Amino acid sequence: MTDRYAVVGNPVAHSLSPTIHAEFARVTGEDLTYGTLEAPIDGFARAADRFLASGRGLNVTVPFKLDAWRWVDRHDDYAAAAGAVNTIVPTEDGWLGCNTDGVGLVADLTEHLRWQVAGARTLILGAGGAVQGVVGALSEAGAEDVAIANRTVAKAQALADRFGVRACSLDEVGGGWDLIVNGTSAGLAGTGGLIAGDAVAGGRCYDMFYTRDGATPFCTWAKAQGARAVADGLGMLVEQAAQAFYLWRGVRPDTASVLALIRGGGPS
Ligand code: ATR
């Protein structure tokens, strides 16, 4: 029987994950279907129970990553550290909650963009769910002098303490960063410049959010400030999906062709 997977979220109708996984399945020859599952805001557990009675795995997106963390039987190291689950995998010991966001970000940075993370002085903007999932993987990949800057400094401090890195406010980030990662949702509202332009000049800037053409407000702003390079988070989306696919199927799909396909067209 064909194995069933889905991404659960609210809203979830516009998720690119079904397109990405359908393409992974096509290129690897894996027999599976992958759909969307919209759960009521207070109904994650019921939706997961129902789907996983016959389904073989779920991806989890906003706003359910913490609900998923509570729902699973066990956590992998990344999910345990992040306090958030984006991939649910069946094992002999029950449902394993994984977090592939950090691995996805590092894979996009190092393998696709060929940006050096090891030894890179790294500034992370934001302290919400998006950032929570990636701090551990960035540190593990060798990022140095890691600082988390956030509008609400107390949130940055709490996260920084958990991962043994520094925290600061958005107006005291300083300069000389090699890598600046935006994980605030401010860019979605069209605000590009959250910090002084000097902070990004000469550095490589990565926006965890994405647009079809890659020109997010943060990327556009950073480029204008003299960033050495900019990239949006579409590659991370594809790489975190590839890691989930690998956890489920034991097969690593090629990501470059899927990224090109999504950049080129298809559903938004
Ligand atoms: P998510 O889980 O998607 O990361 P979140 O937990 O609401 O969403 O976090 C959003 C992040 O964007 C936070 O770091 C938030 O800063 P606060 O913690 O101070 O709220 C940041 N953010 C959102 N809008 C912002 C803005 N206009 N300026 C600066 N930071 C903003």
Side-chain angles (χ1 to χ4, degrees):
M1 206 172 86
T2 302
D3 290 336
R4 290 168 60 236
Y5 299 87
V7 54
V8 54
N10 187 335
V12 74
H14 294 291
S15 171
L16 287 172
S17 293
T19 306
I20 294 170
H21 282 279
E23 186 61 11
F24 286 166
R26 194 184 68 76
V27 297
T28 58
E30 291 288 305
D31 182 19
L32 60 88
T33 64
Y34 188 110
T36 58
L37 178 61
E38 184 164 303
I41 295 296
D42 60 354
F44 174 80
R46 248 173 78 92
D49 286 344
R50 197 176 297 163
F51 184 83
L52 292 173
S54 59
R56 297 297 292 157
L58 277 173
N59 279 138
V60 183
T61 187
V62 179
F64 297 127
K65 291 184 184 184
L66 180 58
D67 297 270
W69 194 86
R70 296 197 184 104
W71 184 88
V72 295
D73 300 303
R74 296 181 300 120
H75 303 106
D76 76 356
D77 290 347
Y78 293 115
V85 160
N86 81 335
T87 305
I88 299 177
V89 180
T91 71
E92 285 178 0
D93 304 325
W95 294 105
L96 179 64
C98 305
N99 194 314
T100 65
D101 285 334
V103 171
L105 171 61
V106 170
D108 192 35
L109 290 171
T110 59
E111 289 163 31
H112 171 232
L113 295 167
R114 308 239 170 242
W115 293 4
Q116 179 120 358
V117 175
R121 294 193 63 222
T122 301
L123 173 66
I124 303 170
L125 306 177
V131 168
Q132 211 171 310
V134 304
V135 183
L138 283 169
S139 294
E140 196 180 282
E144 270 182 19
D145 284 338
V146 175
I148 301 174
N150 195 42
R151 180 176 60 182
T152 310
V153 184
K155 263 172 77 179
Q157 192 65 58
L159 202 54
D161 289 348
R162 234 164 78 197
F163 289 98
V165 301
R166 269 189 313 124
C168 63
S169 69
L170 291 172
D171 47 20
E172 58 184 17
V173 296
W177 300 102
D178 300 311
L179 177 63
I180 301 98
V181 177
N182 177 44
T184 71
S185 50
L188 299 175
T191 319
L194 295 167
I195 53 174
D198 290 353
V200 299
R204 290 176 164 133
C205 293
Y206 192 93
D207 194 348
M208 285 166 65
F209 294 90
Y210 57 83
T211 51
R212 178 55 61 66
D213 63 0
T216 66
F218 177 74
C219 287
T220 304
W221 171 82
K223 212 171 188 175
Q225 308 307 311
R228 180 174 169 191
V230 300
D232 78 336
L234 198 60
M236 174 180 167
L237 178 77
V238 174
E239 294 293 348
Q240 65 77 28
Q243 181 66 16
F245 193 91
Y246 175 70
L247 291 171
W248 288 328
R249 312 298 300 185
V251 181
R252 237 173 240 295
D254 171 55
T255 49
S257 62
V258 176
L259 184 57
L261 177 86
I262 294 171
R263 276 277 187 237
S268 60

